[in-house]
Amino acid sequence: MSFVTENPRGGCVLSGINSVLAAIDHVCPILHSGPGCCMQTTAAEQGQSGHKHACFVSGVSLPSSNMLEKEVVFGGVNKLRTTIQGAIDIIDAQAYFVLTGCTAGIIGDDIQSVVDEFTEQGHKVYAIDTPGFAGESLLGYETVWNTFIDKVIQPAREKKSNLVNLFGIVPYHDPFWAGTLEELDRILSKLGLEVNTFFTKHQGIDVVEHASEAALNLIVNPWLFKGPAEKFEKKFGVPSLRFPFAPIGATDTTRFIREVAEALKLDNALVEKVIKEEEDYVYSYLAQSIGQLSWKRFAVAGDASNAIAITRYLANDYSFSPVLVVITENIFRPEDKDRIIKEISSLEYAQAPKIVFASDQWEINKAIREEPEDISLLVGSTNEKEVALEKGIQYLNATFPMNERLVFNRTYSGYKGSLTFTEDLYDNL
């Protein structure tokens, strides 16, 4: 093996697919895999996210064909057929998705032919033939949406000028995903918009089926969802707006609102009214915290969206000085790297920090440990706690993986989330 990654963040593509489906109300994944996959894929995401969401079905409750040596030699389609039938008989789901593990992918079981048998009987059963070895968990997010676009989403009955689809926030991979979706939904709703978050408000497969009725696909991520967005627009005529991160604080959330308002040609008077109300709310509280937190020279280690948002909030809204930002995702496209660097470097009140792209924990720790400039605050994942203790600096666990905090619907995003972030900074002095 030519390359080994220490402490990889997330799991295989199967775990990513499983996590996305588990976050949609009344959707049941069915694994055509070995007996360990149902536990391992769930643990890979939920065990590292700090989020204990009440899934419709997950973990050891997932239906699985539990392929053994017999299925490897003779094929597992017969066992898969009985597994699907058993799931339909026992689990009252609105849709079922058959997922392949590595074993099924290697021996080449034709799961689509089995799924077709149940589709012909009127059941909503779909195949996602992407074994775990095909990639990492973030690919699972795009794989699910490509499947939805190809097989699930229907042509629009009618277009809704005030409906938006919200993409780019990955369940469980973002520890604050539920709270972030709720906060962005709250803000967009004040603008008179209806929001498909797909993972909150008990939205189910029926919402996915009619997502083509939206006026805009809103992507809050610097690189994720590029392929599905292009496919969505080509097939259903829904354009996309990419805001390159989930905003934190008044400065960037107001920018977010104005970009959405411009794309949808919203009423300017209403937009400015909402901005005034929200900024007055958040600044009235922030004014009370002046002097409570001493000035910090900070470093951030995390996925691109959160790293951008945290850096910009601490520099632009809280006047801390950024020293180092480590992007812990694998970013392959040059244009995506350029977008990330631009957002981190374009600060209003601070010089641009050093930016490092590293997914290996040894390289991440090395960048933090050997940074020549003083760092007095490190915002990162559970994996960076050790190096923070080693350097004797303030540390806040705020990015994935997060296995020492319990998170339900907390968020650092938006107007209200920035207050929570500031409180947590103070609590971790």
Side-chain angles (χ1 to χ4, degrees):
M1 183 179 291
S2 60
F3 183 77
V4 175
T5 299
E6 179 183 340
N7 287 354
R9 304 191 179 217
C12 65
V13 65
L14 179 61
S15 72
I17 295 170
N18 190 19
S19 293
V20 174
L21 293 175
I24 301 176
D25 193 41
H26 278 79
V27 163
C28 176
I30 300 172
L31 271 62
H32 186 40
S33 66
C37 287
C38 65
M39 291 188 64
Q40 294 299 325
T41 57
T42 302
E45 295 294 319
Q46 298 179 30
Q48 298 184 78
S49 70
H51 201 297
K52 308 304 178 188
H53 187 63
C55 300
F56 176 66
V57 57
S58 64
V60 294
S61 300
L62 285 173
S64 175
S65 60
N66 292 330
M67 301 175 71
L68 299 174
E69 289 87 347
K70 178 181 177 181
E71 286 71 44
V72 173
V73 175
F74 299 105
V77 292
N78 290 331
K79 197 170 186 181
L80 174 61
R81 187 177 291 108
T82 59
T83 302
I84 296 173
Q85 186 61 60
I88 292 172
D89 292 343
I90 295 172
I91 300 174
D92 185 22
Q94 296 172 352
Y96 305 83
F97 288 83
V98 179
L99 319 178
T100 50
C102 294
T103 305
I106 290 171
I107 66 174
D109 271 354
D110 182 8
I111 67 169
Q112 186 62 57
S113 63
V114 180
V115 166
D116 288 343
E117 297 174 15
F118 292 91
T119 303
E120 292 169 2
Q121 298 172 25
H123 300 291
K124 289 184 179 181
V125 183
Y126 305 93
I128 304 182
D129 193 3
T130 306
F133 57 73
E136 61 181 7
S137 52
L138 287 174
L139 174 62
Y141 180 81
E142 294 195 346
T143 299
V144 169
W145 280 106
N146 280 323
T147 301
F148 286 168
I149 295 166
D150 292 338
K151 302 178 181 180
V152 179
I153 300 176
Q154 304 169 6
R157 298 166 298 188
E158 61 175 344
K159 288 290 186 178
K160 298 180 180 179
S161 61
N162 70 329
L163 178 64
V164 296
N165 297 322
L166 188 55
F167 297 112
I169 299 171
V170 184
Y172 302 105
H173 191 85
D174 184 335
F176 302 107
W177 64 271
T180 297
L181 288 173
E182 289 178 0
E183 172 66 359
L184 295 181
D185 184 9
R186 182 189 71 82
I187 294 167
L188 294 170
S189 296
K190 289 188 69 172
L191 299 173
L193 299 176
E194 181 184 346
V195 185
N196 288 336
T197 68
F198 304 105
F199 307 125
T200 63
K201 302 183 291 188
H202 297 293
Q203 292 187 336
I205 200 68
D206 57 323
V207 174
V208 175
E209 290 173 346
H210 300 295
S212 59
E213 298 175 2
L216 183 68
N217 287 334
L218 181 54
I219 307 165
V220 285
N221 193 284
W223 67 273
L224 201 61
F225 207 73
K226 182 178 185 291
E230 293 172 352
K231 180 184 290 190
F232 205 120
E233 182 168 8
K234 182 177 181 181
K235 186 171 183 179
F236 299 112
V238 181
S240 296
L241 170 66
R242 181 181 296 278
F243 192 86
F245 55 98
I248 299 176
T251 300
D252 283 331
T253 308
T254 294
R255 170 189 162 191
F256 168 76
I257 288 176
R258 291 205 166 108
E259 290 192 17
V260 173
E262 182 179 355
L264 291 171
K265 302 295 186 287
L266 300 181
D267 178 68
N268 187 64
L270 173 61
V271 170
E272 294 305 318
K273 177 177 179 290
V274 170
I275 290 173
K276 182 179 179 180
E277 290 175 353
E278 293 293 323
E279 288 188 347
D280 178 70
Y281 179 89
V282 73
Y283 284 138
S284 67
Y285 281 103
L286 279 181
Q288 302 174 33
S289 69
I290 295 174
Q292 297 296 318
L293 283 169
S294 60
W295 176 71
K296 302 288 184 182
R297 297 175 59 83
F298 68 92
V300 179
D303 63 276
S305 181
N306 280 306
I308 294 170
I310 290 168
T311 301
R312 291 180 59 84
Y313 173 72
L314 290 179
N316 290 341
D317 291 48
Y318 222 79
S319 299
F320 286 1
S321 295
V323 174
L324 172 69
V325 178
V326 184
I327 305 300
T328 59
E329 290 172 322
N330 290 308
I331 308 295
F332 300 105
R333 295 185 293 256
E335 63 269 25
D336 295 333
K337 281 192 174 183
D338 291 343
R339 186 181 299 114
I340 293 165
I341 291 169
K342 178 184 176 182
E343 291 296 334
I344 294 174
S345 301
S346 304
L347 303 175
E348 294 185 32
Y349 306 114
Q351 291 185 335
K354 181 189 296 183
I355 302 171
V356 175
F357 291 84
S359 59
D360 179 79
Q361 192 61 46
W362 185 86
E363 293 181 357
I364 295 167
N365 289 348
K366 183 174 183 288
I368 298 169
R369 185 180 292 117
E370 297 182 1
E371 171 55 46
E373 294 192 40
D374 290 336
I375 298 172
S376 53
L377 167 66
L378 173 59
V379 181
S381 74
T382 298
N383 293 352
E384 284 74 59
K385 183 176 183 179
E386 182 177 347
V387 71
L389 292 172
E390 177 186 318
K391 293 179 70 70
I393 58 178
Q394 181 185 349
Y395 157 80
L396 176 62
N397 186 191
T399 63
F400 182 87
M402 179 185 291
N403 57 23
E404 57 187 32
R405 300 178 63 183
L406 176 63
V407 178
F408 290 119
N409 64 342
R410 288 170 66 84
T411 184
Y412 291 159
S413 295
Y415 292 105
K416 292 186 175 181
S418 68
L419 299 178
T420 302
F421 183 35
T422 309
E423 289 174 342
D424 285 358
L425 284 171
Y426 182 85
D427 290 343
N428 284 271
L429 282 173

